[in-house]
Amino acid sequence: MANHTHVQNPKVDVQYRRKKNAEEMKHQIVSFTLMIFLTLIAFFAVGYEGFSAWFSVPFILLLAVVQVIFQLYYFMHMSHKGHELPALFIYGGVVVAFVTIWAFLTVVWI
Amino acid sequence: MSTLARKKGVGAVIWDYLTTVDHKKIAILYLIAGGVFFLLGGLEAMIIRIQLAVPNNDFISAGFYNEVLTMHGTTMIFLAAMPLVFAMMNAVVPIQIGARDVAFPFLNSLGFWLFFFGGVFLNLSWFLGGAPDAGWTSYASLSLASPTHGIDFYVLGLQISGLGTLIGGINFLVTIINMRAPGMTYMRMPMFTWATFVTSALILFAFPPLTVGLIFMMMDRLFGGNFFDPALGGNTIIWEHLFWIFGHPEVYILVLPAFGIFSEIFATFSRKRLFGYSSMVFATVLIGFLGFMVWAHHMFTVGMGPIANAIFAVATMAIAVPTGIKIFNWLFTMWGGSIRFTTPMMYAVAFIPSFVIGGVTGVMNATAAADYQYHDSYFVVAHFHYVIVGGVVFALLAGAHYWWPKMFGKMLDEKLGKVTFWLFFIGFHLTFFIQHFLGLMGMPRRVFTFLPGQGFETGNMISTVGAFFMAAGTVVLLANVVITTVKGKRVGNDPWEDGRTLEWAVSSPAPEYNFAQTPLVRGLDAYWIEKMEGKKGLTPAEPLGDIHMPNPSILPFVISLGLFVSAFGFLFHQDHAWGTPVGVFGLIITLGAMFFRSIIDDHGFHIHKEEVMEAEKKGAGA
């Protein structure tokens, strides 16, 4: 049922899809540029002596999260229709893993 | 090359089952393999109960008792309950959602063979120097010190069969998300399909921690690692955490399908729609979610401190709420229904009080302060047997009786079925109810004997007598299966006459392609709706046409065999020079078979419209 959403008839709506593709290409190039830029910032944060590890490690982790979101949404098409369930499972897994690690860091003694 | 309506020799039948990718045949494979392991685990249970029947017994030695006890638990959970659950899912779920097969038939077969070879590998330990002897939880502090290869068999065998389970779980997720017939929205899915869906999600998230734990253990025992050895800077508690992060959801992986089976049975034999369907769905999802937040309640006495214990205690008690919702929904389904006490219904009715007892002792165990008393006593043994036997085993027996006609085309004898039920039900309570009190009186679990004069004699004797009742019930069930197979009459589509879901609309057993035409689903209990409108069959959603089917393949068997061979090699690589080469050779078999799978184009085949029409005319038994 729901899996037919991205099966398209090539003869229908050529113009609409061409416009849509061009737009998507633009998004991909923009996010690709941003990702390279973020990587450069990460390298800079490590290289610059003025930042201590207490700043640069969480900072890089934050940049990594942003990159993962770009990757998932702009390159793996999670922003498209028909990806609600994969998104649900990814976020479900993230929540479960987060709660587990959180419990280890806060209440459970190892 | 359709295999419809063709008589075959024994060799051809065996080859057919070795290569099959049909979910209905894989269900039968799971049922047979799981059933054999269930008998094996039951035999081990009988040895345990005979040894504990009288004080100071020397029926078996202490060391052998440890092996039997470990293998009883491991076999029952991983090799009996899990595959039997998969047998029910495979037999029913694709038909319940109006699909022709699972999403990945090849992977389905691979999942079975991985489980099978893992289970065989684990049990070969009996003949190759001794079985694992550190309990089914195999805590690292104990298992690292085990001198035999038993633990290595446990680690490698469970790793292989765990891969199979993970593959099976993913397959069912994709199947249920993508393969539902037109009109089968999520909120029209039968309860057993919902339970399978949530269970598969739990498998997806719960098995990776086990895999990681087993890899650590494998490194420590076979390849000189030290993840768990404190003397070398490791931490032995990590195993306990990893094991229970998997192990607690595992309990729900087993019991949610059991809930699903009972939901179907209650609705069918009360001739009523399941009461509170949407709250049932909600409760199932909630139990699945909360199941990941409570693992540390197995470790209250490890010394995590009062804050951790309190948090995990409260989280655990919260699970009683959705479970309670379910219990009330089942009661209200029966209320005012026109109830028929068939064999499956008797299991379902007996399940409610039995499982509630297990649930109540569960809340008692969850009370962290009190748990210091219960911990490692027979009280805990009684508790988890009440949930697993009173919940899961009852459900599997009920499901086997309920869906037997759908799987094999013949009804199990109802009289013998009821004899089985009463023997099993009485035996179960006789065995385990008294164990609560043995535990409260101070009898520790996992001991191979006890001394006279401590007040444990009567309780243990009663418990052993109960175990013999359960064994007798199992023997009657086996006799029933043989008699039915030899003498049973073929039945039609809907042998219980009150079937509500789609599986009762197709012939028994279902044809290879399940539905000649994909059905249109017009509501919950789709087949019941059609029957109430006076129709004989389902509303088709497509014209009759050629049906595309997957080709059978031997590759899943070969891939699994390769891992089996490889596990032997690496297990003995420290003792024998041939170990490592054999290990590598096995991996080459596996990877080679995977390579062939990747390069050979397999487009499947078509069953032509004329053949489908002919098969449909002949109906059941085709």
Side-chain angles (χ1 to χ4, degrees):
Chain A
M1 347 177 5
N3 57 339
H4 295 310
T5 43
H6 45 257
V7 179
Q8 287 156 333
N9 185 342
K11 285 177 195 139
V12 180
D13 296 335
V14 181
Q15 265 193 334
Y16 169 76
R17 286 199 300 115
R18 193 169 278 163
K19 194 176 141 219
K20 191 101 180 149
N21 284 347
E23 207 169 282
E24 207 161 284
M25 194 65 197
K26 200 174 84 193
H27 281 160
Q28 292 206 342
I29 289 173
V30 169
S31 58
F32 184 62
T33 321
L34 273 174
M35 283 165 90
I36 290 182
F37 183 61
L38 291 180
T39 313
L40 287 178
I41 294 181
F43 274 109
F44 172 75
V46 176
Y48 184 57
E49 307 222 328
F51 295 157
S52 79
W54 284 106
F55 172 76
S56 40
V57 170
F59 181 64
I60 292 175
L61 285 177
L62 182 74
L63 292 184
V65 170
V66 175
Q67 296 240 19
V68 167
I69 292 170
F70 275 148
Q71 173 75 21
L72 288 174
Y73 278 88
Y74 288 103
F75 290 96
M76 295 174 78
H77 306 292
M78 244 171 71
S79 50
H80 289 197
K81 246 184 154 180
H83 290 67
E84 294 84 5
L85 268 160
L88 177 74
F89 273 83
I90 288 173
Y91 289 120
V94 167
V95 168
V96 168
F98 174 76
V99 169
T100 307
I101 293 168
W102 191 42
F104 274 118
L105 292 179
T106 51
V107 293
V108 178
W109 172 89
I110 297 191
Chain B
M1 41 154 273
S2 154
T3 49
L4 286 170
R6 216 191 288 161
K7 277 273 174 212
K8 285 177 290 192
V10 180
V13 170
I14 292 173
W15 180 253
D16 183 26
Y17 274 89
L18 287 179
T19 59
T20 187
V21 292
D22 179 352
H23 71 96
K24 297 174 287 294
K25 286 182 180 160
I26 290 172
I28 293 173
L29 288 174
Y30 268 119
L31 189 72
I32 295 171
V36 168
F37 283 123
F38 179 72
L39 294 179
L40 205 59
L43 197 67
E44 285 151 4
M46 294 311 293
I47 295 175
I48 293 173
R49 275 327 313 170
I50 293 171
Q51 166 65 19
L52 291 177
V54 287
N56 272 333
N57 201 356
D58 59 355
F59 179 68
I60 51 173
S61 70
F64 188 61
Y65 181 89
N66 285 346
E67 295 177 26
V68 172
L69 170 116
T70 302
M71 285 301 280
H72 166 68
T74 314
T75 304
M76 282 302 194
I77 296 281
F78 291 102
L79 309 179
M82 292 285 301
L84 289 172
V85 162
F86 267 112
M88 302 290 154
M89 292 181 182
N90 266 301
V92 177
V93 168
I95 317 185
Q96 271 194 339
I97 60 173
R100 293 218 163 93
D101 206 325
V102 292
F104 307 117
F106 181 91
L107 284 188
N108 203 10
S109 157
L110 181 60
F112 169 76
W113 289 111
L114 283 171
F115 140 71
F116 177 77
F117 277 112
V120 170
F121 184 80
L122 181 53
N123 273 283
L124 284 177
S125 62
W126 288 116
F127 310 106
L128 295 168
D133 55 0
W136 87 283
T137 53
S138 201
Y139 277 10
S141 36
L142 201 52
S143 55
L144 286 185
S146 176
T148 66
H149 271 304
I151 303 295
D152 306 328
F153 276 102
Y154 171 98
V155 167
L156 295 169
L158 288 191
Q159 192 70 283
I160 295 173
S161 77
L163 271 176
T165 309
L166 191 54
I167 287 174
I170 292 172
N171 204 347
F172 275 104
L173 277 179
V174 180
T175 304
I176 294 173
I177 292 172
N178 287 325
M179 310 268 289
R180 283 166 290 128
M184 177 68 82
T185 59
Y186 282 105
M187 290 314 272
R188 285 178 183 175
M189 291 196 315
M191 211 47 226
F192 182 61
T193 301
W194 255 113
T196 302
F197 185 61
V198 176
T199 296
S200 304
L202 291 186
I203 290 175
L204 178 66
F205 292 142
F207 267 73
L210 176 72
T211 307
V212 170
L214 289 173
I215 285 178
F216 285 178
M217 182 72 87
M218 179 180 79
M219 290 295 169
D220 274 17
R221 291 216 26 128
L222 293 173
F223 298 103
N226 49 49
F227 288 100
F228 301 128
D229 186 354
L232 296 166
N235 186 336
T236 186
I237 304 296
I238 292 176
W239 167 268
E240 297 184 26
H241 279 292
L242 283 172
F243 187 86
W244 286 119
I245 290 173
F246 147 77
H248 197 82
E250 167 72 14
V251 182
Y252 296 111
I253 290 170
L254 296 177
V255 89
L256 288 180
F259 290 169
I261 292 170
F262 284 130
S263 300
E264 302 287 323
I265 291 172
F266 276 122
T268 303
F269 296 114
S270 305
R271 297 196 182 99
K272 263 179 73 187
R273 194 190 133 122
L274 186 67
F275 186 91
Y277 170 81
S278 37
S279 69
M280 282 299 234
V281 171
F282 169 75
T284 306
V285 175
L286 194 62
I287 290 174
F289 187 70
L290 288 176
F292 281 98
M293 315 285 159
V294 296
W295 80 90
H297 68 211
H298 297 270
M299 301 166 59
F300 281 151
T301 58
V302 161
M304 296 180 300
I307 295 178
N309 279 8
I311 289 173
F312 282 103
V314 173
T316 305
M317 291 174 196
I319 296 186
V321 176
T323 315
I325 294 177
K326 281 177 161 293
I327 298 280
F328 282 109
N329 279 336
W330 288 317
L331 292 175
F332 287 136
T333 304
M334 285 191 287
W335 187 313
S338 125
I339 298 176
R340 280 170 61 201
F341 279 99
T342 58
T343 311
M345 188 61 171
M346 291 175 79
Y347 280 108
V349 173
F351 149 79
I352 289 186
S354 308
F355 189 80
V356 167
I357 293 174
V360 168
T361 53
V363 176
M364 289 171 74
N365 279 318
T367 315
D371 184 66
Y372 276 80
Q373 281 298 314
Y374 309 135
H375 189 83
D376 257 349
S377 77
Y378 258 81
F379 188 82
V380 176
V381 176
H383 156 70
F384 67 70
H385 280 94
Y386 259 84
V387 259
I388 291 183
V389 182
V392 182
V393 177
F394 276 21
L396 291 171
L397 291 172
H401 284 88
Y402 183 57
W403 282 310
W404 195 271
K406 196 45 68 184
M407 292 177 79
F408 297 99
K410 293 172 178 179
M411 285 279 251
L412 283 175
D413 185 71
E414 275 289 282
K415 269 207 193 92
L416 285 177
K418 282 175 186 164
V419 173
T420 308
F421 166 76
W422 282 113
L423 284 172
F424 207 88
F425 178 71
I426 294 170
F428 160 65
H429 283 282
L430 213 52
T431 308
F432 295 111
F433 194 73
I434 195 82
Q435 289 185 1
H436 292 112
F437 299 98
L438 283 173
L440 293 177
M441 289 189 305
M443 182 166 163
R445 68 191 276 208
R446 291 175 170 152
V447 288
F448 87 106
T449 192
F450 54 93
L451 295 174
Q454 294 181 331
F456 299 151
E457 287 96 332
T458 320
N460 275 297
M461 188 39 114
I462 292 174
S463 191
T464 301
V465 170
F468 276 95
F469 271 82
M470 280 198 276
T474 312
V475 171
V476 175
L477 175 65
L478 287 180
N480 194 355
V481 168
V482 172
I483 293 170
T484 305
T485 311
V486 176
K487 295 211 295 201
K489 270 201 236 70
R490 296 229 154 252
V491 293
N493 294 2
D494 188 10
W496 298 107
E497 291 164 6
D498 296 312
R500 309 176 73 82
T501 42
L502 288 180
E503 75 267 28
W504 305 111
V506 295
S507 66
S508 311
E512 203 183 352
Y513 46 80
N514 291 358
F515 297 92
Q517 292 159 286
T518 301
L520 179 71
V521 175
R522 301 192 295 143
L524 180 65
D525 296 336
Y527 184 43
W528 186 259
I529 292 178
E530 305 290 346
K531 282 200 282 192
M532 287 303 104
E533 293 185 2
K535 292 184 186 147
K536 288 245 167 60
L538 300 168
T539 311
E542 60 173 14
L544 201 59
D546 293 356
I547 295 173
H548 185 217
M549 300 292 289
N551 275 327
S553 169
I554 191 69
L555 287 177
F557 182 85
V558 179
I559 291 174
S560 313
L561 181 71
L563 284 179
F564 178 74
V565 171
S566 179
F568 268 112
F570 285 119
L571 191 137
F572 287 115
H573 84 117
Q574 287 161 329
D575 314 332
H576 303 287
W578 51 261
T580 311
V582 168
V584 173
F585 175 67
L587 286 183
I588 290 173
I589 297 178
T590 299
L591 294 172
M594 288 163 74
F595 175 73
F596 280 116
R597 171 67 182 169
S598 311
I599 58 162
I600 299 172
D601 263 341
D602 186 350
H603 296 297
F605 65 96
H606 282 88
I607 301 179
H608 294 289
K609 200 159 107 179
E610 294 73 27
E611 289 177 277
V612 175
M613 278 156 73
E614 205 180 310
E616 286 296 304
K617 230 185 283 170
K618 271 194 272 181

